[in-house]
Amino acid sequence: MTRRRRWIKGGSVNKPAVPCDPEIVPDSEHRSLIARLPARWRDFALLARFDRPIGWWLLFWPCVWGVMLAGGEQQWQLVLWLLAGAIAMRGAGCVYNDIVDADLDRKVARTASRPVASGRVRRSAAWAWLLALCGVGLLVLLQLRWQAQAVALASIAPVAAYPFMKRITWWPQAWLGLVFSWGALVGWVEVDTCDGHLGALAALYLGSIAWVIGYDTIYALQDREDDALVGIRSSALAMGARVTGGVAGFYAVAVLMWGLAFWMIRADWLAFVALAPMAVHLAGQVVTLRQGDGENVLARFRSNRDAGLLMALACWVVGNGGGGICS
């Protein structure tokens, strides 16, 4: 997600106030579990955002969509491997992000206490932790056929570029969409051995990108003022007062693209019926969104974990109801 920063009264860009407790941030979960770890281990867990599982859920669900829409309802071992890969690679991405953004983090009160920015974890140790997490990702990669391996490896460049996008474009959420939707390509290619319905895959991927832009714009609402002060760009700032309509627009594009993908796989109205719960859920996020309410914004963002499950069920219904895409 776009990096979140929260200022404390008395802080400034050049001289931050006393940092917050790094374990207590608005979107942390499993705080008590993380708190039980020894201090050294806790720093590495926080560095990989293990206290915030929503990130790997959002990375994981597009993987499942690709598998299920390609007809892989029997490939639950593959789904579990992809889950392990999502957890490890999301953690690796967060570590890399913190290494790259250490200079920005030190200028903001809440992020000044992060492990790398505060100096509790040396950069060399952070790089070692990053390589360890990538080792898990490599183990997952080796479970895939070579075509899916090639697709997965092609994501390295956009992943490496992502931390810099917030400095050069007002739409880092669009780049995040490219990265966080990549699993749909990997899951599909692993299952689809006949290269069938590639147009449907393209529509699924484009829809996922629009979905990511929508939910990460919601996430970015939490700190628009702070991001503007520090010089971090985001779609929430770019849209200004039109952000709710913008999120609605991106969600609408997502549903339209997914509907097109479903129709290409199964040209009957059941495809749209399967998609309806996801469409209703996204509409509910928009209707109940309150931009100035941090808890409301965070709850709407987190609800995309459930949205991902609804979409996975829809992909399962459409992708496995007619004998598979190669039939």
Side-chain angles (χ1 to χ4, degrees):
M1 310 308 104
T2 301
R3 301 294 300 281
R4 300 272 51 82
R5 294 166 167 80
R6 181 68 62 190
W7 288 77
I8 295 177
K9 186 176 182 180
S12 68
V13 172
N14 295 319
K15 186 178 180 180
V18 177
C20 300
D21 183 339
E23 296 170 23
I24 307 301
V25 293
D27 50 351
S28 285
E29 300 179 68
H30 308 314
R31 297 176 184 175
S32 60
L33 180 61
I34 297 296
R36 291 193 185 100
L37 294 173
R40 184 64 171 172
W41 294 6
R42 184 163 60 247
D43 283 336
F44 285 99
L46 293 171
L47 190 56
R49 307 295 195 274
F50 288 159
D51 61 321
R52 283 177 263 180
I54 181 61
W56 54 257
W57 278 115
L58 295 175
L59 185 61
F60 168 65
W61 282 126
C63 302
V64 180
W65 302 349
V67 170
M68 291 301 162
L69 196 58
E73 67 174 339
Q74 302 298 326
Q75 300 202 37
W76 292 105
Q77 185 176 4
L78 170 62
V79 169
L80 292 176
W81 276 114
L82 292 173
L83 175 59
I87 294 172
M89 296 316 295
R90 187 264 184 159
C94 290
V95 175
Y96 175 67
N97 207 64
D98 277 13
I99 293 171
V100 172
D101 277 355
D103 58 331
L104 288 177
D105 288 344
R106 293 190 187 101
K107 298 176 182 178
V108 181
R110 188 180 73 81
T111 56
S113 60
R114 282 184 170 163
V116 176
S118 66
R120 296 196 312 275
V121 173
R122 297 191 306 273
R123 283 180 180 267
S124 58
W127 279 111
W129 180 218
L130 171 63
L131 291 175
L133 290 167
C134 288
V136 177
L138 177 61
L139 179 62
V140 174
L141 186 71
L142 294 175
Q143 311 308 311
L144 308 178
R145 66 192 189 107
W146 74 264
Q147 294 91 337
Q149 290 176 352
V151 172
L153 289 173
S155 70
I156 293 176
V159 168
Y162 169 68
F164 303 98
M165 291 299 109
K166 64 180 74 68
R167 306 170 192 238
I168 62 177
T169 175
W170 286 102
W171 293 90
Q173 281 73 21
W175 199 269
L176 185 72
L178 295 174
V179 172
F180 261 60
S181 302
W182 207 277
L185 305 178
V186 176
W188 178 290
V189 171
E190 175 63 20
V191 172
D192 177 19
T193 58
C194 64
D195 296 327
H197 294 290
L198 292 182
L201 172 59
L204 176 69
Y205 182 62
L206 291 174
S208 182
I209 292 172
W211 175 60
V212 175
I213 295 173
Y215 73 59
D216 203 51
T217 298
I218 292 175
Y219 189 65
L221 286 172
Q222 296 176 93
D223 293 291
R224 281 190 295 188
E225 296 81 4
D226 298 345
D227 286 349
L229 286 171
V230 180
I232 296 173
R233 302 178 181 184
S234 75
S235 56
L237 287 171
M239 293 182 196
R242 300 183 298 275
V243 70
T244 300
V247 171
F250 281 111
Y251 278 171
V253 170
V255 172
L256 287 173
M257 287 293 100
W258 292 334
L260 177 61
F262 284 11
W263 190 261
M264 290 179 177
I265 297 296
R266 185 169 181 172
D268 63 51
W269 292 104
L270 180 60
F272 298 134
V273 172
L275 187 58
M278 179 61 160
V280 171
H281 182 98
L282 295 180
Q285 286 186 37
V286 174
V287 170
T288 60
L289 182 63
R290 301 292 178 265
Q291 295 185 36
D293 184 340
E295 290 186 3
N296 173 279
V297 168
L298 185 56
R300 300 303 169 275
F301 164 71
R302 279 181 174 169
S303 72
N304 283 283
R305 174 169 40 199
D306 301 328
L309 174 59
L310 292 175
M311 182 63 179
L313 293 173
C315 290
W316 171 67
V317 169
V318 174
N320 299 278
I325 62 175
C326 294
S327 59

